[in-house]
Amino acid sequence: MSQPLPPFSCTFSPNVPELLRELNCTIALTTHQAGKLIFLSPNGPEQLMQLPRDFDLPMGLAVADRRLALATATEVVVLADASGLAPNYPPNPGKYDALYLPRAVYFTGPVDIHDLHWDQGGDLWAVNTRFSCLSKIDAHYSFRPVWSPSFVRELVPLDYCHLNGLAFRDGRPLYVSMLGASNEEEGWRKNIYKGGLLMDIETNEVILDGLSMPHSPRWIDGALYVLLSARGQLIRLDPGTKQVDVIAQFPSFVRGLANRGDYLFVGLSRIRHRASIFRELQVAGGGETCGIEIVHLPTGRPVGQIRYRNSVEEIYDLQIIPDRLRPGILNHRTETHRSGWNTPDLDYWTAARPQ
């Protein structure tokens, strides 16, 4: 009789651990369905290590400098890498080369934040889906509205257009993705498979429409890359000429896109067949695959994959933690993170005598 698989079991291409070592990075992913933020790191030349942490409906991730921000059901949690605490982390000394500890929690309320990004000035931008706007996370307010599509006439929590993605170009926020142009409650649902669009927030111009559930826009190497979730496609767009190229096709619902060197990391999710908006999706392969596909950017060829066998059904966001091969993370639900002191000049745990 076969034994049940342990939670979060996955398979992966033999080359993935070594590729992550060559790229000197760790993959961070969120799965709101499983309530986890997961780090995937190389564990020697042939194995991967997973580090899942509990959060309430985790969605968008932002990584910059030593910081990591995570959008949850009603909060944005900001963590920072206290690398000096990692070598003496009491439960596992010497295991991690970085250790992310909670540093701030912003109570936004249930605004359904999707993508998060830090700008060059240190402001944290949030795609505020319920209020159909871009916001900045603010210590004085639930959020500070910054921009809304021109067809949205009022700031109300009615999810008019399902605004979901934000791309920065040359250090400034510029392109957004949404599922439909509407000024009524959840009006985007009326044409969900062909109503998606991309907009330039500086000009309020629609740069591409008729899209199948666009997500995860990213400006990479002089072009805008977008995932068409309902088609399982990765496309590349030249905003000037409006030329669109299909770079890759995947056997699943795609959402979550990250870049490191010459490689793209694409999140694959299984289709929720019981949900009404997913019943008519015609994704090649049936939409039964969940995991990560690694694509060689110059050629568009798939070069590696990670596939979840259980526990994880959907992925929302992917980010890369650069220059770290074994980062650890502590959430703010337990007391462990309160036992460490980290300053510019001092790192020690309360059980240890300061050096």
Side-chain angles (χ1 to χ4, degrees):
M1 184 174 181
S2 61
Q3 295 295 318
L5 293 171
F8 302 99
S9 293
C10 66
T11 61
F12 50 88
S13 304
N15 64 321
V16 170
E18 188 58 34
L19 178 60
L20 293 179
R21 288 177 63 87
E22 290 176 4
L23 294 174
N24 193 24
C25 68
T26 285
I27 303 169
L29 68 87
T30 59
T31 166
H32 52 294
Q33 159 264 323
K36 303 289 184 183
L37 167 62
I38 300 175
F39 287 173
L40 282 162
S41 304
N43 184 19
E46 298 180 352
Q47 297 296 322
L48 289 179
M49 168 175 276
Q50 290 194 83
L51 184 62
R53 287 290 181 263
D54 292 333
F55 290 91
D56 187 12
L57 292 175
M59 293 280 284
L61 272 174
V63 176
D65 304 321
R66 297 172 45 247
R67 299 166 298 167
L68 184 152
L70 174 66
T72 69
T74 59
E75 303 167 347
V76 171
V77 183
V78 177
L79 306 100
D81 175 15
S83 294
L85 289 174
N88 298 312
Y89 176 49
N92 289 293
K95 184 174 183 178
Y96 301 120
D97 61 1
L99 191 61
Y100 284 87
L101 303 183
R103 288 292 171 242
V105 179
Y106 296 91
F107 299 95
T108 62
V111 297
D112 197 17
I113 290 174
H114 280 53
D115 281 11
L116 284 174
H117 291 266
W118 264 296
D119 66 19
Q120 292 178 324
D123 287 336
L124 184 57
W125 290 67
V127 178
N128 186 331
T129 302
R130 179 159 291 184
F131 281 83
S132 308
C133 70
L134 296 181
S135 305
K136 288 186 180 180
I137 302 303
D138 193 296
H140 296 279
Y141 306 101
S142 299
F143 58 90
R144 186 186 293 272
V146 178
W147 177 89
S148 294
S150 54
F151 51 79
V152 172
R153 295 190 297 270
E154 57 184 343
L155 191 71
V156 289
L158 298 178
D159 187 9
Y160 288 148
C161 58
H162 208 72
L163 188 69
N164 59 47
L166 172 62
F168 272 55
R169 177 177 177 178
D170 302 326
R172 71 184 195 278
L174 190 55
Y175 304 113
V176 293
S177 59
M178 63 195 76
L179 299 193
S182 164
N183 195 38
E184 60 182 84
E185 183 175 2
E186 296 190 347
W188 53 273
R189 292 179 179 271
K190 292 181 179 180
N191 191 20
I192 189 171
Y193 304 115
K194 297 182 180 179
L197 60 145
L198 300 168
M199 289 186 69
D200 182 318
I201 70 171
E202 293 185 350
T203 65
N204 274 303
E205 175 192 7
V206 175
I207 57 174
L208 195 63
D209 59 9
L211 301 176
S212 299
M213 302 179 73
H215 282 87
S216 310
R218 304 286 185 260
W219 184 261
I220 303 169
D221 292 343
L224 184 62
Y225 288 79
V226 182
L227 296 175
L228 300 186
S229 302
R231 292 184 177 274
Q233 291 179 338
L234 168 68
I235 66 169
R236 179 175 58 213
L237 167 67
D238 182 328
T241 65
K242 309 296 178 68
Q243 179 178 337
V244 176
D245 298 305
V246 177
I247 303 302
Q249 179 79 51
F250 304 100
S252 206
F253 189 89
V254 288
R255 187 173 51 197
L257 179 63
N259 168 237
R260 178 70 167 172
D262 284 338
Y263 298 90
L264 296 179
F265 297 78
V266 181
L268 312 182
S269 296
R270 294 189 179 98
I271 293 174
R272 286 174 267 163
H273 292 288
R274 295 183 179 179
S276 59
I277 64 172
F278 292 97
R279 287 174 187 158
E280 298 179 20
L281 293 185
Q282 299 296 321
V283 175
E288 297 299 326
T289 299
C290 181
I292 297 171
E293 195 81 16
I294 305 173
V295 177
H296 184 240
L297 184 57
T299 63
R301 292 188 301 105
V303 295
Q305 60 181 226
I306 300 169
R307 296 288 187 263
Y308 277 98
R309 302 179 66 187
N310 63 3
S311 301
V312 180
E313 303 286 332
E314 296 183 38
I315 291 172
Y316 178 74
D317 205 0
L318 289 179
Q319 294 293 333
I320 295 298
I321 299 178
D323 306 321
R324 292 289 184 262
L325 292 176
R326 189 65 64 81
I329 183 171
L330 301 179
N331 64 24
H332 62 308
R333 293 183 172 186
T334 63
E335 294 297 313
T336 307
H337 73 91
R338 304 179 192 276
S339 301
W341 280 294
N342 167 239
T343 76
D345 305 307
L346 180 69
D347 300 278
Y348 73 96
W349 298 93
T350 53
R353 185 178 298 275
Q355 302 296 316

